[in-house]
Amino acid sequence: MTLENITLIIGSLLILLGLWGLITQKNLIKIVISFTLVDAGIHILMISLGYLKNRTAPIVDSTIDNAVEQIVDPIPQAMVLTAIVIGLGITALMLSFVIRLAKDKNSLNVSNFKDLKW
Amino acid sequence: MIKKLIFLALIAGVGYMFWTGLAEYKAAESLNRISSYYAQDGLKEVGAANLVTAVVVTYRGLDTLGEVSILFLTASILGFFLVSGKEPKIPLQDSSEILKTASKLLEPIILLFGIYVFINGHLTPGGGFQGGAILASALILAYLANPNEGINKSIFRITESISGVVFVIIGILGIVLAGGFLDNRLIPVGSIGDLISAGIIPIIYIFVGMKVGAELSSIVTNLKHSPKNNVE
Amino acid sequence: METNLNIFLAIVIGVLALVFAIIAIYHKKLSIAIIASGAVSLMASILFLLLAAPDVAMTEAAIGSGLSVIIFFYALSKIRKQHD
């Protein structure tokens, strides 16, 4: 059981838990919280795919002579940096929709919003 | 009960897809071609000690431009959606004495730390997005300590717009004066490890940090000042 | 680095993250569910540090467990009935 195997399992389990919460919960705010859990799981999955054994962080200072042999992959980290900030933007947008929806029907239960059903 | 079993079967199906993809995963032994190019020649070309910063600002600068515009879109949609009408001003309860005194001491230190993080983005872990989030935290501390004072919203709008425009202008200057859009060699690349090095990366990150800080602050301000409605 | 201590820490923090995630989905009070989702982001930030990614750890800690929880609480206060 190496380090990246453990974090891969944790990331996948967090994604599955978040999807389960997304499907079964009825409270609108719990649905938004499940989106946050799916986001965290995806980020852990992406960074653990870029890990190489026994190497250190991709910052070149005086202790690193040969950067190609001694650092982990910097590209997934750059992608995840962008993804975290955009995840926050999505959460804020979803919460503003929840505020307007709750004002309209005076309830937070998702089974009361049946206007678009046939 | 049947519904719960169907949902469980769906989740088990997704889990099975993850399992077949990742079961015999072994970590790679060496960097692939792009990453080894970034690690070897990128260091001399870009001159930044923090390789993740070099990738985010220079090699993938177009993605950062896209992200900055998505954040701008989010902040403006939130400002449009939560229209604050004329609501009666209910005076909120004042916070305690300890919080007020401590926040007066801590806010300048947090602001200074945020500015330090995005100025030194190319030398140590850090950069524009982290520094912007720390700046927004200082603002939230101010809101928690003085719940009855408002901050003028136009400061955030002006900072955000000016920073965005300057970012795009620097990119276009890269087309005119150097290799391409957002090229790094507009200003001479110094030696690795100095504060003034790595071309225009510190300048871009300063504007990105101010822009992200202003955007996150305006999101929090819009949520705070939207009208209250009562739901049980 | 792949020492034994790191692997043990990863297992402990991973189990804690899953426990907090289950609390976030199933608890009845909304305030505790929101704080549990902030705690999941904090555990994810520690895992990033073990995987040699300090930039990402700093960003996830500041945004995931700082700003996201505050935004949830502001939204919650706009919907709740005013308790006098």
Side-chain angles (χ1 to χ4, degrees):
Chain A
M1 270 309 202
T2 54
L3 187 62
E4 66 266 6
N5 278 354
I6 296 175
T7 48
L8 275 177
I9 293 177
I10 292 172
S12 319
L13 279 178
L14 268 178
I15 296 180
L16 291 176
L17 268 177
L19 276 178
W20 170 256
L22 203 52
I23 303 182
T24 59
Q25 289 298 320
K26 300 264 184 246
N27 198 341
L28 274 175
I29 296 201
K30 286 266 175 79
I31 295 181
V32 180
I33 291 181
S34 306
F35 265 110
T36 313
L37 291 179
V38 170
D39 260 342
I42 291 182
H43 299 149
I44 296 180
L45 198 65
M46 276 174 64
I47 295 230
S48 64
L49 284 177
Y51 179 73
L52 278 69
K53 275 172 92 75
N54 283 333
R55 295 194 188 199
T56 172
I59 299 183
V60 176
D61 51 359
S62 49
T63 62
I64 296 191
D65 331 317
N66 187 6
V68 186
E69 312 267 331
Q70 284 181 316
I71 55 171
V72 288
D73 206 354
I75 298 185
Q77 300 185 10
M79 301 287 129
V80 168
L81 213 55
T82 305
I84 291 177
V85 181
I86 293 189
L88 175 75
I90 292 181
T91 305
L93 211 53
M94 281 198 284
L95 279 175
S96 82
F97 290 159
V98 164
I99 293 179
R100 286 297 289 254
L101 277 176
K103 173 178 171 186
D104 202 21
K105 300 261 185 188
N106 265 345
S107 119
L108 273 178
N109 198 352
V110 88
S111 8
N112 288 343
F113 295 95
K114 286 191 194 269
D115 293 346
L116 281 180
K117 279 196 169 182
W118 300 346
Chain B
M1 192 58 205
I2 300 287
K3 266 197 180 178
K4 282 243 163 107
L5 285 178
I6 297 181
F7 293 153
L8 202 54
L10 274 174
I11 301 277
V14 177
Y16 178 67
M17 284 196 292
F18 275 130
W19 174 258
T20 58
L22 299 172
E24 298 108 20
Y25 173 74
K26 279 192 181 325
E29 290 300 320
S30 59
L31 297 176
N32 53 6
R33 268 179 59 192
I34 298 185
S35 308
S36 48
Y37 173 76
Y38 287 162
Q40 233 168 334
D41 303 324
L43 209 49
K44 290 192 265 309
E45 274 180 349
V46 172
N50 188 354
L51 279 175
V52 177
T53 300
V55 172
V56 163
V57 176
T58 310
Y59 288 116
R60 296 281 187 200
L62 222 46
D63 295 343
T64 307
L65 183 64
E67 170 192 1
V68 157
S69 49
I70 288 184
L71 263 185
F72 172 68
L73 200 63
T74 304
S76 45
I77 290 182
L78 241 112
F80 160 71
F81 224 58
L82 300 171
V83 178
S84 63
K86 301 285 179 230
E87 84 243 23
K89 283 264 183 212
I90 312 171
L92 296 166
Q93 196 182 16
D94 256 352
S95 52
S96 68
E97 189 77 25
I98 298 181
L99 193 55
K100 278 198 230 192
T101 321
S103 85
K104 279 191 202 149
L105 268 179
L106 277 180
E107 275 168 39
I109 299 182
I110 298 182
L111 277 175
L112 196 62
F113 183 60
I115 295 180
Y116 164 77
V117 163
F118 67 64
I119 285 186
N120 281 354
H122 54 293
L123 299 171
T124 53
F129 303 111
Q130 289 91 329
I134 296 179
L135 286 181
S137 321
L139 186 80
I140 291 179
L141 183 61
Y143 276 153
L144 283 178
N146 311 320
N148 280 325
E149 292 178 15
I151 297 193
N152 202 359
K153 277 194 237 183
S154 54
I155 260 192
F156 299 134
R157 268 184 283 157
I158 293 177
T159 312
E160 185 176 343
S161 320
I162 290 184
S163 311
V165 165
V166 169
F167 182 51
V168 177
I169 285 182
I170 290 182
I172 295 185
L173 272 181
I175 297 185
V176 169
L177 294 177
F181 190 69
L182 278 177
D183 197 1
N184 205 15
R185 292 167 282 219
L186 210 49
I187 299 181
V189 174
S191 58
I192 299 178
D194 287 348
L195 186 54
I196 316 261
S197 66
I200 50 172
I201 288 187
I203 302 182
I204 287 187
Y205 250 169
I206 290 176
F207 284 111
V208 166
M210 285 199 308
K211 182 174 170 69
V212 170
E215 262 160 3
L216 295 177
S217 312
S218 85
I219 287 180
V220 172
T221 310
N222 278 332
L223 273 175
K224 176 178 157 71
H225 286 315
S226 68
K228 198 176 177 67
N229 37 59
N230 295 327
V231 175
E232 66 268 3
Chain C
M1 311 295 168
E2 287 250 352
T3 57
N4 271 340
L5 180 64
N6 275 0
I7 296 185
F8 175 67
L9 261 177
I11 295 182
V12 166
I13 291 188
V15 167
L16 268 178
L18 291 174
V19 165
F20 280 133
I22 294 183
I23 293 180
I25 300 183
Y26 278 116
H27 206 280
K28 296 235 185 315
K29 286 186 127 184
L30 279 178
S31 332
I32 299 187
I34 294 172
I35 295 182
S37 85
V40 167
S41 281
L42 196 62
M43 299 295 133
S45 156
I46 301 182
L47 277 180
F48 289 148
L49 209 54
L50 288 174
L51 286 170
D55 263 322
V56 182
M58 203 191 297
T59 308
E60 173 83 28
I63 292 188
S65 62
L67 283 170
S68 186
V69 172
I70 293 278
I71 288 186
F72 266 111
F73 272 120
Y74 268 135
L76 201 61
S77 83
K78 291 298 168 199
I79 317 181
R80 278 288 166 79
K81 212 189 292 208
Q82 209 166 4
H83 293 287
D84 280 328

